[in-house]
Amino acid sequence: MNKSNIKTKKSFALVSLLVALLLVSAFIIIHFVMAKNRNVELIGSEISFPESAGSFSLSNADIECDLDSLTSGVSEKKAYVYIAPDYTDYSIVEKFGFDKNDFTEKEEGRRYYKTQGRDKAKQINIDKYGVFTYETGIGRTGFEMTLTEKECVNISQNFLKEYGLWGSDMSKTCSFNETYGYTSTPNGEVEKLVGRDVNFFFEKDSIPVSGNARITVSLNGNGEVTGVIYNYREYLQKSEQPLISVEQAVNTMKTGKAYVDLDSSIGSVDITSVEISYWTDTRSDNTLIMQPVYNFIAKVKSEDNETNDLIITVQANRIE
């Protein structure tokens, strides 16, 4: 047999083998990617946003935005759905000096613990998910508060750390609610600050958590902690979920399936930016779930031509 023919056949066989291997590899990669996308279990559920006049009127509003600009800011973002454990074991009440087994249950899963405090009853009201309201037994005072916001934050943080309530999910941002009273002077009554609430928020994956997820610490005029509202759960089950596109989210907004904190009808919306956040909610099976949302920052003009900078929230994870 001619040696050149042998070499040609060997070369052809080698090339054929390489081509076959490349084709098989490509098939495996494509199959893996398609299977991964196809087999992602959608564990989210439709978010029940609070009702507002502004939300209802979005379907008739004139909505403007630059989709390319908005998409570029969140196109590489990943987000997850978190599910909390079913129930708490109520052991957290022991941190505040209560006997876990000495309680009154007025409805299924909700327990009331009560004892005598310094100024009034010391009590805690906790549901089966571990969300609670705690009154320390220290009352409000009529004394004027002279503490700065920063001093109030430090007092509140130290209190939460003392009772093991300050976690790694806490955000560096906070807000304040203030309580005012009046004092009599020769010139009449003068308003004075008598209490301040410090609201601490949460974040997951360096993404802020929206909705009512927060810890609120209440201080009286003397800077003493009078109460704590703990509205959060430790979310243990985590699943990466596919997001709808920004364009799909804007189209969803146009149907009115969104939330905006406005009690009047909307005439027009000019969206300037968007960011991903998380929203806590309760599923139909009563388990707590935290899902990604798009927060659209926009200039919103009401029908009476008043313009406000507001956030319009739309669910971001695919649910079907």
Side-chain angles (χ1 to χ4, degrees):
M1 182 180 293
N2 192 303
K3 289 184 178 181
S4 62
N5 289 337
I6 294 174
K7 288 181 179 180
T8 301
K9 288 182 179 179
K10 286 183 177 180
S11 298
F12 179 77
L14 181 60
V15 170
S16 299
L17 178 61
L18 289 172
V19 171
L21 289 173
L22 287 172
L23 288 174
V24 170
S25 299
F27 174 79
I28 292 173
I29 292 172
I30 292 171
H31 178 76
F32 174 78
V33 171
M34 291 181 65
K36 182 180 179 182
N37 291 333
R38 184 174 61 248
N39 294 330
V40 171
E41 180 186 2
L42 300 179
I43 63 173
S45 59
E46 185 173 348
I47 295 176
S48 300
F49 290 118
E51 296 181 352
S52 73
S55 302
F56 285 128
S57 65
L58 280 169
S59 58
N60 297 317
D62 180 19
I63 300 176
E64 296 184 0
C65 65
D66 182 343
L67 282 175
D68 291 336
S69 175
L70 294 177
T71 301
S72 64
V74 296
S75 59
E76 301 300 321
K77 294 283 188 179
K78 290 184 178 181
Y80 303 83
V81 167
Y82 290 86
I83 297 177
D86 289 342
Y87 304 115
T88 180
D89 63 0
Y90 300 98
S91 61
I92 195 169
V93 303
E94 296 174 344
K95 296 183 177 185
F96 301 107
F98 296 99
D99 180 350
K100 185 176 76 170
N101 299 313
D102 184 12
F103 63 90
T104 301
E105 188 174 48
K106 295 185 178 179
E107 59 183 85
E108 183 181 359
R110 182 175 293 278
R111 296 183 178 184
Y112 297 85
Y113 297 83
K114 186 176 182 179
T115 187
Q116 183 56 44
R118 190 192 75 182
D119 304 325
K120 60 177 187 176
K122 173 183 172 181
Q123 55 190 349
I124 189 167
N125 175 352
I126 181 170
D127 69 14
K128 61 185 179 181
Y129 301 112
V131 174
F132 66 83
T133 301
Y134 170 54
E135 295 181 23
T136 64
I138 297 174
R140 293 275 188 181
T141 70
F143 297 117
E144 183 172 7
M145 174 176 279
T146 59
L147 296 170
T148 64
E149 290 182 348
K150 184 177 181 180
E151 288 172 325
C152 290
V153 169
N154 289 336
I155 292 170
S156 301
Q157 282 182 336
N158 289 335
F159 181 89
L160 295 176
K161 289 176 181 177
E162 178 184 352
Y163 287 96
L165 298 176
W166 185 267
S168 59
D169 292 340
M170 303 297 291
S171 170
K172 295 179 180 179
T173 61
C174 58
S175 68
F176 305 94
N177 305 110
E178 296 180 335
T179 303
Y180 289 88
Y182 295 89
T183 185
S184 297
T185 71
N187 298 320
E189 291 189 333
V190 177
E191 190 177 61
K192 63 179 180 180
L193 177 65
V194 296
R196 179 178 283 131
D197 297 342
V198 184
N199 303 304
F200 296 100
F201 301 96
F202 294 84
E203 58 183 27
K204 278 287 191 184
D205 315 310
S206 299
I207 296 175
V209 178
S210 303
N212 293 321
R214 68 188 65 191
I215 301 178
T216 299
V217 180
S218 299
L219 305 176
N220 63 18
N222 292 332
E224 299 171 300
V225 176
T226 62
V228 176
I229 298 174
Y230 188 89
N231 195 16
Y232 191 63
R233 281 301 312 274
E234 202 58 43
Y235 290 83
L236 301 182
Q237 183 180 335
K238 175 181 178 180
S239 175
E240 184 177 348
Q241 294 286 280
L243 303 180
I244 63 173
S245 67
V246 171
E247 182 177 7
Q248 289 173 311
V250 172
N251 289 334
T252 299
M253 182 193 305
K254 292 177 179 179
T255 68
K257 287 187 176 181
Y259 173 67
V260 56
D261 187 12
L262 188 66
D263 290 330
S264 58
S265 296
I266 294 174
S268 65
V269 174
D270 184 8
I271 300 172
T272 57
S273 61
V274 63
E275 60 185 20
I276 293 177
S277 180
Y278 281 110
W279 187 280
T280 57
D281 199 17
T282 304
R283 296 196 302 189
S284 58
D285 61 359
N286 290 325
T287 56
L288 294 182
I289 187 171
M290 187 163 59
Q291 303 178 94
V293 294
Y294 286 119
N295 278 343
F296 291 94
I297 294 84
K299 292 190 177 297
V300 177
K301 182 180 289 187
S302 61
E303 289 188 334
D304 56 7
N305 288 325
E306 181 179 347
T307 301
N308 295 285
D309 292 323
L310 296 174
I311 294 176
I312 303 175
T313 301
V314 179
Q315 186 160 0
N317 56 304
R318 278 204 300 117
I319 57 175
E320 58 182 20

